[in-house]
Amino acid sequence: MSLRVFHIVFIIASIALSVGVGVWAVRFYQEAGGMSWLAMAIIFFVLAVALVLYGVRVWEKLKEV
């Protein structure tokens, strides 16, 4: 497995993990109602979006290599 493929797979896994933790935090927020759970959900969803943008940028850059 090349470094390029590993990097893309790692970014996709990180996005999936971020979305999963965000959904988990939303569920706990709905059950417990603490604002820290909502803040955690927002942070992880923003992180997932940032990782998507990073992944697109890396994909474009690594096409040249």
Side-chain angles (χ1 to χ4, degrees):
M1 179 185 302
S2 70
L3 184 59
R4 176 176 58 177
V5 171
F6 175 76
H7 197 79
I8 297 300
V9 168
F10 189 73
I11 292 170
I12 291 170
S14 298
I15 292 167
L17 181 63
S18 295
V19 169
V21 171
V23 169
W24 174 69
V26 167
R27 288 186 181 164
F28 266 84
Y29 171 70
Q30 290 172 342
E31 291 176 11
M35 289 303 290
S36 60
W37 292 112
L38 182 60
M40 185 174 165
I42 291 169
I43 289 169
F44 275 93
F45 287 137
V46 168
L47 178 63
V49 170
L51 283 167
V52 168
L53 296 174
Y54 174 72
V56 169
R57 186 172 179 191
V58 166
W59 180 263
E60 292 297 321
K61 185 168 184 148
L62 290 179
K63 273 200 224 180
E64 300 169 1
V65 175

